[in-house]
Amino acid sequence: QQWYSSSMKVICMWLADRLDLQLHTYQLKTLIKIVKKTYRDFRLQGVLEGTLNSKTYDTVHSRLTVEEATVSVTDAGGLQGITMKDSDE
């Protein structure tokens, strides 16, 4: 649980440092993959939902969703099917 929380906190702080900058498409694709894989892996390991869906995770998820929407409007083939939406939603 601590590893997951620390990982999300680092990503959140990195995004906060770049709050006034739009992420490059490559950065966005990489972060989406990292966040989704981390979330899924720790969910499979039995980390509680309260820890998984923390305020930090919500902040990261919201920022990446906004960045994803921006890229989809400005760059026609930017993310190539990579999204924050889970396939099981």
Side-chain angles (χ1 to χ4, degrees):
Q1 291 178 346
Q2 188 176 12
W3 189 8
Y4 173 80
S5 296
S6 297
S7 300
M8 285 300 139
K9 187 179 277 189
V10 167
I11 293 170
C12 188
M13 288 178 4
W14 189 85
L15 287 170
D17 289 344
R18 289 149 186 83
L19 194 57
D20 56 341
L21 302 172
Q22 182 179 348
L23 297 177
H24 186 274
T25 304
Y26 181 77
Q27 289 173 318
L28 181 59
K29 286 168 54 173
T30 304
L31 282 172
I32 288 173
K33 288 179 182 180
I34 290 169
V35 169
K36 286 177 71 174
K37 177 138 180 61
T38 302
Y39 184 91
R40 286 185 186 141
D41 287 353
F42 280 91
R43 184 178 63 194
L44 287 173
Q45 293 297 323
V47 174
L48 300 174
E49 288 292 320
T51 303
L52 288 173
N53 296 318
S54 66
K55 181 70 175 158
T56 306
Y57 173 77
D58 288 341
T59 302
V60 169
H61 189 278
S62 296
R63 171 73 187 273
L64 294 179
T65 302
V66 168
E67 291 284 344
E68 176 187 335
T70 302
V71 167
S72 68
V73 169
T74 59
D75 188 3
L79 294 178
Q80 301 164 340
I82 297 171
T83 69
M84 280 303 294
K85 183 175 180 183
D86 282 331
S87 57
D88 58 346
E89 286 184 351

XYZ file of all heavy atoms in Angstrom:
714
model
N 0.819 -1.191 0.000
C 0.000 0.000 0.000
C 0.866 1.259 0.000
O 0.558 2.219 -0.686
C -0.923 -0.001 1.208
C -2.001 -1.049 1.143
C -2.880 -1.064 2.383
O -2.552 -0.471 3.400
N -3.987 -1.756 2.278
N 1.938 1.199 0.775
C 2.818 2.359 0.855
C 3.523 2.598 -0.485
O 3.691 3.739 -0.907
C 3.843 2.160 1.968
C 4.677 3.388 2.241
C 5.611 3.167 3.422
O 5.799 2.058 3.891
N 6.209 4.251 3.875
N 3.904 1.517 -1.156
C 4.570 1.643 -2.452
C 3.623 2.284 -3.467
O 4.001 3.177 -4.223
C 5.049 0.280 -2.909
C 5.943 0.286 -4.118
C 6.487 1.362 -4.751
C 6.387 -0.843 -4.838
N 7.242 0.965 -5.825
C 7.204 -0.394 -5.903
C 6.177 -2.210 -4.697
C 7.797 -1.256 -6.805
C 6.779 -3.067 -5.599
C 7.585 -2.591 -6.639
N 2.384 1.831 -3.485
C 1.396 2.395 -4.407
C 1.181 3.884 -4.115
O 1.209 4.713 -5.027
C 0.068 1.635 -4.290
C -1.047 2.269 -5.082
C -1.150 2.059 -6.456
C -1.985 3.100 -4.477
C -2.162 2.645 -7.197
C -2.991 3.698 -5.211
C -3.078 3.462 -6.563
O -4.068 4.050 -7.299
N 0.970 4.211 -2.845
C 0.731 5.599 -2.458
C 1.916 6.488 -2.825
O 1.739 7.603 -3.326
C 0.460 5.695 -0.959
O -0.720 5.006 -0.638
N 3.119 5.987 -2.601
C 4.326 6.756 -2.938
C 4.443 6.966 -4.442
O 4.805 8.055 -4.898
C 5.573 6.045 -2.423
O 5.558 5.963 -1.032
N 4.147 5.941 -5.204
C 4.212 6.044 -6.668
C 3.241 7.096 -7.191
O 3.604 7.931 -8.030
C 3.895 4.696 -7.317
O 4.803 3.717 -6.924
N 2.009 7.067 -6.694
C 1.018 8.041 -7.142
C 1.391 9.457 -6.690
O 1.191 10.421 -7.425
C -0.381 7.680 -6.610
C -1.015 6.521 -7.318
S -1.223 6.842 -9.080
C -0.750 5.265 -9.737
N 1.967 9.565 -5.511
C 2.365 10.877 -5.008
C 3.467 11.478 -5.882
O 3.445 12.665 -6.195
C 2.843 10.772 -3.568
C 3.125 12.122 -2.930
C 3.563 11.975 -1.489
C 2.331 11.845 -0.635
N 2.615 11.905 0.804
N 4.434 10.660 -6.308
C 5.519 11.138 -7.165
C 4.962 11.617 -8.508
O 5.338 12.684 -9.000
C 6.585 10.033 -7.372
C 7.545 10.393 -8.494
C 7.333 9.777 -6.081
N 4.066 10.852 -9.088
C 3.463 11.239 -10.370
C 2.654 12.522 -10.200
O 2.731 13.437 -11.027
C 2.596 10.101 -10.940
C 3.486 8.912 -11.324
C 1.785 10.581 -12.145
C 2.730 7.652 -11.677
N 1.910 12.608 -9.110
C 1.102 13.799 -8.846
C 1.987 15.039 -8.683
O 1.680 16.098 -9.227
C 0.248 13.575 -7.603
S -0.960 14.872 -7.308
N 3.080 14.907 -7.957
C 4.001 16.031 -7.771
C 4.644 16.431 -9.094
O 4.792 17.621 -9.385
C 5.069 15.682 -6.732
C 4.530 15.637 -5.330
S 5.675 15.184 -4.003
C 7.247 15.009 -4.725
N 5.003 15.451 -9.924
C 5.604 15.737 -11.230
C 4.612 16.504 -12.099
O 4.981 17.470 -12.769
C 6.030 14.430 -11.890
C 6.843 14.624 -13.124
C 8.186 14.812 -13.201
C 6.354 14.656 -14.479
N 8.562 14.952 -14.512
C 7.470 14.861 -15.313
C 5.103 14.523 -15.044
C 7.351 14.944 -16.694
C 4.987 14.611 -16.426
C 6.102 14.815 -17.228
N 3.358 16.072 -12.079
C 2.336 16.771 -12.852
C 2.071 18.172 -12.299
O 1.849 19.108 -13.064
C 1.033 15.960 -12.861
C 1.040 14.700 -13.725
C -0.204 13.869 -13.466
C 1.170 15.039 -15.197
N 2.109 18.313 -10.982
C 1.882 19.621 -10.355
C 2.987 20.602 -10.744
O 2.720 21.797 -10.947
C 1.801 19.481 -8.849
N 4.213 20.109 -10.860
C 5.323 20.965 -11.281
C 5.140 21.468 -12.706
O 5.708 22.478 -13.091
C 6.661 20.228 -11.184
C 7.106 20.003 -9.762
O 6.567 20.665 -8.842
O 8.000 19.148 -9.559
N 4.362 20.749 -13.484
C 4.123 21.108 -14.883
C 2.671 21.525 -15.112
O 2.117 21.326 -16.183
C 4.467 19.918 -15.776
C 5.957 19.659 -15.843
C 6.276 18.193 -16.039
N 7.705 17.971 -15.961
C 8.381 17.825 -14.824
N 7.760 17.891 -13.677
N 9.683 17.626 -14.834
N 2.074 22.090 -14.083
C 0.655 22.440 -14.142
C 0.329 23.422 -15.261
O -0.708 23.317 -15.905
C 0.210 23.019 -12.790
C -1.284 23.127 -12.554
C -1.949 21.766 -12.703
C -1.549 23.702 -11.182
N 1.229 24.351 -15.527
C 0.974 25.358 -16.553
C 1.458 24.935 -17.938
O 1.359 25.699 -18.891
C 1.598 26.693 -16.161
C 3.098 26.572 -15.891
O 3.573 25.445 -15.661
O 3.783 27.612 -15.913
N 1.963 23.712 -18.054
C 2.459 23.218 -19.337
C 1.611 22.054 -19.830
O 1.203 21.193 -19.048
C 3.904 22.724 -19.198
C 4.933 23.729 -18.699
C 6.252 23.023 -18.425
C 5.123 24.838 -19.710
N 1.363 22.022 -21.118
C 0.680 20.873 -21.695
C 1.698 19.758 -21.875
O 2.830 19.995 -22.305
C 0.054 21.228 -23.040
C -0.706 20.076 -23.661
C -1.348 20.461 -24.982
O -1.412 21.623 -25.330
N -1.810 19.471 -25.709
N 1.311 18.546 -21.549
C 2.217 17.415 -21.704
C 2.401 17.084 -23.183
O 1.470 17.206 -23.981
C 1.671 16.182 -20.983
C 1.505 16.284 -19.469
C 0.890 14.998 -18.932
C 2.829 16.567 -18.795
N 3.588 16.644 -23.533
C 3.855 16.142 -24.880
C 3.094 14.821 -25.035
O 2.863 14.109 -24.058
C 5.364 15.927 -25.055
C 5.743 15.550 -26.436
N 5.721 14.242 -26.875
C 6.142 16.299 -27.483
C 6.106 14.203 -28.134
N 6.364 15.446 -28.537
N 2.722 14.494 -26.234
C 1.962 13.274 -26.489
C 2.682 12.041 -25.960
O 2.064 11.154 -25.363
C 1.685 13.120 -28.001
O 1.023 14.292 -28.471
C 0.822 11.908 -28.279
N 3.989 11.973 -26.144
C 4.755 10.824 -25.655
C 4.707 10.749 -24.129
O 4.542 9.674 -23.561
C 6.201 10.905 -26.143
C 7.031 9.732 -25.700
C 6.920 8.498 -26.344
C 7.904 9.835 -24.619
C 7.655 7.411 -25.931
C 8.648 8.747 -24.199
C 8.522 7.546 -24.859
O 9.240 6.465 -24.439
N 4.833 11.897 -23.462
C 4.749 11.921 -21.997
C 3.382 11.430 -21.538
O 3.269 10.639 -20.599
C 4.969 13.338 -21.462
C 6.373 13.850 -21.589
C 6.477 15.314 -21.187
O 5.621 16.124 -21.544
N 7.528 15.642 -20.462
N 2.345 11.903 -22.199
C 0.986 11.528 -21.835
C 0.742 10.036 -22.022
O 0.204 9.371 -21.128
C -0.015 12.350 -22.653
C -1.486 12.091 -22.363
C -1.814 12.363 -20.895
C -2.353 12.961 -23.270
N 1.150 9.500 -23.171
C 0.978 8.070 -23.418
C 1.711 7.237 -22.375
O 1.174 6.253 -21.855
C 1.491 7.711 -24.818
C 0.579 8.166 -25.923
C 1.182 8.083 -27.299
C 1.722 6.757 -27.694
N 2.155 6.704 -29.102
N 2.918 7.633 -22.045
C 3.720 6.902 -21.066
C 3.087 6.966 -19.684
O 2.983 5.943 -18.995
C 5.155 7.451 -21.034
O 5.709 7.379 -22.353
C 6.022 6.673 -20.070
N 2.656 8.137 -19.274
C 2.032 8.283 -17.959
C 0.726 7.498 -17.858
O 0.440 6.888 -16.821
C 1.783 9.756 -17.637
C 3.003 10.534 -17.188
C 2.676 12.017 -17.100
C 3.522 10.027 -15.857
N -0.072 7.520 -18.905
C -1.320 6.748 -18.893
C -1.015 5.271 -18.697
O -1.641 4.589 -17.880
C -2.144 6.987 -20.186
C -2.747 8.391 -20.165
C -3.239 5.939 -20.340
C -3.430 8.794 -21.457
N -0.038 4.753 -19.432
C 0.331 3.340 -19.291
C 0.823 3.028 -17.879
O 0.443 2.019 -17.289
C 1.409 2.964 -20.303
C 0.903 2.879 -21.719
C 2.036 2.524 -22.669
C 1.588 2.485 -24.097
N 2.676 2.141 -25.022
N 1.665 3.902 -17.327
C 2.219 3.686 -15.984
C 1.105 3.692 -14.935
O 1.032 2.796 -14.086
C 3.287 4.745 -15.648
C 4.543 4.523 -16.484
C 3.622 4.733 -14.158
C 5.552 5.667 -16.406
N 0.247 4.706 -14.986
C -0.801 4.836 -13.977
C -1.789 3.674 -14.061
O -2.151 3.080 -13.036
C -1.523 6.202 -14.114
C -2.780 6.259 -13.263
C -0.576 7.325 -13.740
N -2.224 3.317 -15.258
C -3.172 2.220 -15.394
C -2.566 0.886 -14.949
O -3.208 0.102 -14.261
C -3.663 2.126 -16.840
C -4.642 3.233 -17.193
C -5.077 3.185 -18.628
C -5.995 2.011 -18.882
N -6.553 2.027 -20.245
N -1.317 0.630 -15.342
C -0.670 -0.630 -14.960
C -0.451 -0.690 -13.452
O -0.698 -1.727 -12.831
C 0.656 -0.789 -15.690
C 1.412 -2.044 -15.296
C 2.017 -2.718 -16.470
C 2.782 -3.969 -16.127
N 2.016 -5.008 -15.506
N -0.002 0.415 -12.871
C 0.208 0.445 -11.427
C -1.105 0.187 -10.693
O -1.164 -0.630 -9.773
C 0.790 1.816 -10.993
O 2.014 2.023 -11.697
C 1.047 1.866 -9.513
N -2.167 0.844 -11.113
C -3.476 0.677 -10.484
C -3.936 -0.780 -10.583
O -4.333 -1.384 -9.587
C -4.490 1.608 -11.152
C -5.861 1.571 -10.514
C -6.185 2.445 -9.491
C -6.823 0.670 -10.953
C -7.442 2.429 -8.910
C -8.079 0.643 -10.368
C -8.387 1.514 -9.356
O -9.629 1.489 -8.769
N -3.873 -1.335 -11.779
C -4.333 -2.719 -11.980
C -3.492 -3.724 -11.195
O -4.025 -4.645 -10.588
C -4.294 -3.073 -13.460
C -5.385 -2.435 -14.253
C -5.353 -2.917 -15.689
N -6.327 -2.197 -16.482
C -6.126 -1.801 -17.715
N -4.995 -2.044 -18.323
N -7.065 -1.162 -18.371
N -2.178 -3.567 -11.234
C -1.297 -4.506 -10.535
C -1.546 -4.495 -9.033
O -1.617 -5.555 -8.399
C 0.171 -4.203 -10.818
C 0.597 -4.597 -12.219
O -0.205 -5.233 -12.943
O 1.739 -4.270 -12.607
N -1.683 -3.312 -8.454
C -1.911 -3.236 -7.020
C -3.320 -3.684 -6.652
O -3.528 -4.243 -5.574
C -1.602 -1.837 -6.486
C -0.128 -1.620 -6.284
C 0.656 -1.091 -7.290
C 0.487 -1.985 -5.097
C 2.019 -0.905 -7.119
C 1.848 -1.806 -4.914
C 2.620 -1.276 -5.927
N -4.283 -3.483 -7.535
C -5.635 -4.004 -7.289
C -5.607 -5.525 -7.251
O -6.210 -6.145 -6.387
C -6.596 -3.509 -8.364
C -8.044 -3.933 -8.095
C -8.993 -3.408 -9.118
N -8.640 -3.975 -10.420
C -9.099 -3.532 -11.573
N -9.909 -2.499 -11.606
N -8.752 -4.092 -12.694
N -4.845 -6.125 -8.183
C -4.728 -7.588 -8.200
C -3.996 -8.128 -6.970
O -4.229 -9.258 -6.561
C -3.997 -8.035 -9.472
C -4.788 -7.920 -10.765
C -3.893 -8.235 -11.960
C -5.988 -8.855 -10.748
N -3.127 -7.310 -6.391
C -2.386 -7.724 -5.193
C -3.226 -7.576 -3.923
O -2.772 -7.919 -2.843
C -1.095 -6.920 -5.053
C -0.081 -7.216 -6.133
C 0.406 -8.653 -6.099
O 0.582 -9.242 -5.040
N 0.598 -9.227 -7.269
N -4.440 -7.052 -4.059
C -5.339 -6.969 -2.916
C -5.294 -5.665 -2.144
O -5.778 -5.597 -1.017
N -4.723 -4.624 -2.744
C -4.727 -3.314 -2.083
C -6.168 -2.824 -2.017
O -6.928 -2.943 -2.976
C -3.815 -2.309 -2.841
C -3.928 -0.921 -2.243
C -2.379 -2.788 -2.804
N -6.557 -2.284 -0.884
C -7.933 -1.863 -0.653
C -8.344 -0.718 -1.568
O -7.528 0.129 -1.940
C -8.103 -1.433 0.807
C -7.806 -2.517 1.842
C -7.879 -1.920 3.238
C -8.758 -3.685 1.694
N -9.634 -0.682 -1.908
C -10.174 0.353 -2.796
C -9.942 1.753 -2.252
O -9.695 2.687 -3.010
C -11.673 0.131 -3.034
C -12.002 -1.050 -3.917
C -11.569 -0.853 -5.358
O -11.720 0.262 -5.899
O -11.078 -1.826 -5.949
N -10.016 1.911 -0.950
C -9.789 3.217 -0.339
C -8.399 3.747 -0.620
O -8.196 4.943 -0.815
N -7.419 2.854 -0.639
C -6.044 3.241 -0.947
C -5.884 3.475 -2.443
O -5.252 4.448 -2.864
C -5.062 2.153 -0.475
O -5.239 1.937 0.918
C -3.629 2.549 -0.748
N -6.460 2.596 -3.255
C -6.338 2.715 -4.709
C -6.955 4.010 -5.224
O -6.385 4.686 -6.075
C -7.001 1.527 -5.403
C -6.294 0.192 -5.293
C -7.162 -0.907 -5.888
C -4.943 0.223 -5.969
N -8.128 4.344 -4.717
C -8.865 5.511 -5.207
C -8.680 6.712 -4.278
O -9.630 7.412 -3.956
C -10.346 5.167 -5.360
C -10.560 4.098 -6.402
O -9.950 4.122 -7.454
N -11.395 3.135 -6.100
N -7.451 6.960 -3.913
C -7.132 8.069 -3.020
C -7.308 9.407 -3.729
O -7.486 9.477 -4.945
C -5.692 7.930 -2.526
O -4.794 8.078 -3.613
N -7.220 10.475 -2.960
C -7.304 11.829 -3.524
C -6.174 12.070 -4.524
O -6.374 12.696 -5.562
C -7.249 12.856 -2.380
C -7.348 14.275 -2.823
C -8.719 14.601 -3.328
C -8.814 16.087 -3.661
N -9.880 16.362 -4.593
N -4.987 11.530 -4.213
C -3.844 11.674 -5.118
C -4.135 10.998 -6.455
O -3.899 11.574 -7.516
C -2.573 11.072 -4.484
O -2.373 11.662 -3.206
C -1.363 11.290 -5.354
N -4.671 9.771 -6.407
C -5.013 9.063 -7.640
C -6.072 9.838 -8.417
O -5.975 9.968 -9.649
C -5.505 7.645 -7.357
C -6.021 6.961 -8.594
C -5.134 6.444 -9.538
C -7.380 6.862 -8.858
C -5.597 5.841 -10.698
C -7.844 6.265 -10.003
C -6.953 5.755 -10.920
O -7.418 5.171 -12.069
N -7.079 10.352 -7.724
C -8.123 11.122 -8.399
C -7.549 12.349 -9.103
O -7.953 12.680 -10.214
C -9.200 11.561 -7.404
C -10.067 10.402 -6.933
O -10.083 9.355 -7.611
O -10.718 10.561 -5.887
N -6.593 13.008 -8.456
C -5.950 14.181 -9.044
C -5.179 13.802 -10.306
O -5.290 14.461 -11.341
C -5.002 14.842 -8.016
O -5.756 15.196 -6.857
C -4.322 16.069 -8.594
N -4.395 12.727 -10.222
C -3.628 12.252 -11.378
C -4.577 11.847 -12.501
O -4.382 12.228 -13.662
C -2.715 11.067 -10.977
C -2.119 10.393 -12.195
C -1.622 11.528 -10.033
N -5.607 11.091 -12.168
C -6.568 10.620 -13.160
C -7.247 11.797 -13.862
O -7.370 11.808 -15.100
C -7.608 9.717 -12.487
C -8.508 9.020 -13.448
N -9.618 9.624 -13.998
C -8.455 7.778 -13.971
C -10.219 8.781 -14.805
N -9.530 7.648 -14.823
N -7.661 12.788 -13.087
C -8.320 13.961 -13.676
C -7.395 14.711 -14.625
O -7.797 15.086 -15.731
C -8.789 14.912 -12.572
O -9.767 14.300 -11.792
N -6.168 14.930 -14.198
C -5.207 15.666 -15.042
C -4.940 14.912 -16.337
O -4.929 15.502 -17.424
C -3.901 15.882 -14.269
C -2.756 16.426 -15.102
C -2.918 17.899 -15.463
N -1.911 18.357 -16.390
C -0.714 18.825 -16.055
N -0.376 18.921 -14.782
N 0.132 19.211 -16.977
N -4.726 13.611 -16.250
C -4.439 12.838 -17.458
C -5.651 12.771 -18.379
O -5.507 12.786 -19.599
C -3.950 11.432 -17.090
C -2.600 11.379 -16.374
C -2.235 9.932 -16.044
C -1.504 12.034 -17.180
N -6.848 12.740 -17.812
C -8.061 12.737 -18.625
C -8.211 14.053 -19.379
O -8.563 14.066 -20.560
C -9.296 12.466 -17.741
O -9.117 11.210 -17.069
C -10.560 12.411 -18.560
N -7.931 15.168 -18.708
C -7.991 16.480 -19.364
C -6.938 16.576 -20.465
O -7.221 17.037 -21.572
C -7.825 17.621 -18.331
C -7.602 18.961 -19.015
C -9.024 17.680 -17.417
N -5.725 16.135 -20.159
C -4.654 16.161 -21.168
C -5.025 15.279 -22.364
O -4.771 15.631 -23.517
C -3.339 15.683 -20.557
C -2.743 16.636 -19.549
C -2.088 17.854 -20.179
O -1.817 17.859 -21.384
O -1.835 18.811 -19.423
N -5.625 14.137 -22.080
C -6.046 13.225 -23.146
C -7.088 13.892 -24.043
O -7.014 13.800 -25.279
C -6.622 11.959 -22.516
C -7.187 10.967 -23.473
C -7.881 9.828 -22.763
O -7.559 9.540 -21.601
O -8.763 9.222 -23.394
N -8.041 14.581 -23.447
C -9.069 15.273 -24.223
C -8.448 16.380 -25.074
O -8.821 16.557 -26.243
C -10.124 15.858 -23.288
N -7.493 17.090 -24.524
C -6.823 18.158 -25.261
C -6.081 17.605 -26.466
O -6.169 18.149 -27.572
C -5.841 18.913 -24.342
O -6.561 19.426 -23.225
C -5.154 20.045 -25.068
N -5.362 16.517 -26.269
C -4.614 15.906 -27.372
C -5.561 15.378 -28.440
O -5.296 15.515 -29.633
C -3.681 14.787 -26.850
C -3.138 13.939 -27.985
C -2.542 15.383 -26.053
N -6.683 14.792 -28.030
C -7.607 14.240 -29.018
C -8.223 15.330 -29.896
O -8.575 15.077 -31.040
C -8.707 13.423 -28.339
O -9.554 14.259 -27.590
N -8.327 16.544 -29.362
C -8.866 17.660 -30.137
C -7.794 18.277 -31.030
O -8.056 18.631 -32.175
C -9.464 18.731 -29.192
C -9.798 20.009 -29.937
C -10.687 18.189 -28.495
N -6.576 18.400 -30.508
C -5.524 19.106 -31.245
C -4.676 18.226 -32.149
O -4.104 18.711 -33.105
C -4.580 19.843 -30.268
O -3.990 18.886 -29.379
C -5.320 20.889 -29.470
N -4.582 16.931 -31.838
C -3.696 16.038 -32.598
C -4.501 14.831 -33.071
O -4.916 14.005 -32.261
C -2.529 15.598 -31.708
C -1.459 14.835 -32.470
O -1.578 14.697 -33.700
O -0.501 14.379 -31.825
N -4.691 14.734 -34.387
C -5.585 13.722 -34.952
C -5.244 12.287 -34.539
O -6.103 11.537 -34.113
C -5.599 13.836 -36.466
N -3.994 11.865 -34.653
C -3.650 10.483 -34.350
C -2.758 10.347 -33.145
O -2.014 9.389 -33.028
N -2.849 11.287 -32.238
C -1.900 11.400 -31.143
C -1.729 10.207 -30.233
O -0.635 9.695 -30.070
N -2.789 9.733 -29.607
C -2.640 8.706 -28.573
C -2.757 7.283 -29.106
O -2.442 6.334 -28.397
C -3.674 8.938 -27.461
C -3.470 10.211 -26.660
C -4.578 10.373 -25.627
C -2.129 10.217 -25.985
N -3.224 7.112 -30.296
C -3.289 5.808 -30.951
C -3.984 4.749 -30.093
O -3.470 3.664 -29.869
C -1.900 5.349 -31.354
C -1.215 6.317 -32.289
C 0.269 6.099 -32.393
O 0.871 5.480 -31.527
N 0.873 6.625 -33.430
N -5.148 5.102 -29.566
C -5.951 4.141 -28.826
C -5.633 4.024 -27.351
O -6.275 3.243 -26.650
N -4.672 4.756 -26.852
C -4.329 4.700 -25.437
C -5.182 5.740 -24.710
O -5.146 6.915 -25.045
C -2.833 4.993 -25.219
C -2.013 3.926 -25.901
C -2.506 5.082 -23.732
C -0.529 4.216 -25.945
N -5.988 5.279 -23.740
C -6.854 6.198 -22.996
C -6.831 5.867 -21.512
O -6.421 4.788 -21.118
C -8.312 6.107 -23.480
O -8.842 4.844 -23.100
C -8.428 6.279 -24.981
N -7.312 6.794 -20.725
C -7.433 6.575 -19.282
C -8.631 5.687 -18.955
O -8.698 5.128 -17.886
C -7.567 7.909 -18.541
C -6.271 8.635 -18.315
S -5.031 7.666 -17.425
C -5.777 7.471 -15.819
N -9.564 5.563 -19.869
C -10.747 4.744 -19.607
C -10.333 3.271 -19.562
O -9.646 2.778 -20.448
C -11.782 4.953 -20.691
C -13.063 4.200 -20.448
C -14.106 4.521 -21.477
C -15.353 3.729 -21.146
N -16.407 3.904 -22.116
N -10.756 2.591 -18.513
C -10.450 1.168 -18.389
C -11.299 0.368 -19.371
O -12.443 0.705 -19.638
C -10.729 0.663 -16.969
C -9.635 1.055 -16.002
O -8.485 1.198 -16.444
O -9.930 1.218 -14.821
N -10.728 -0.716 -19.856
C -11.452 -1.563 -20.791
C -12.604 -2.284 -20.097
O -13.534 -2.735 -20.750
C -10.503 -2.582 -21.422
O -9.875 -3.342 -20.423
N -12.549 -2.395 -18.766
C -13.630 -3.089 -18.041
C -14.711 -2.129 -17.533
O -15.602 -2.532 -16.831
C -13.063 -3.893 -16.879
C -12.276 -3.064 -15.885
O -11.935 -1.919 -16.209
O -11.989 -3.567 -14.787
N -14.640 -0.845 -17.903
C -15.677 0.098 -17.497
C -16.876 -0.009 -18.406
O -16.770 -0.230 -19.569
C -15.144 1.541 -17.530
C -14.223 1.844 -16.391
C -13.785 3.309 -16.406
O -14.052 4.030 -17.386
O -13.156 3.710 -15.433
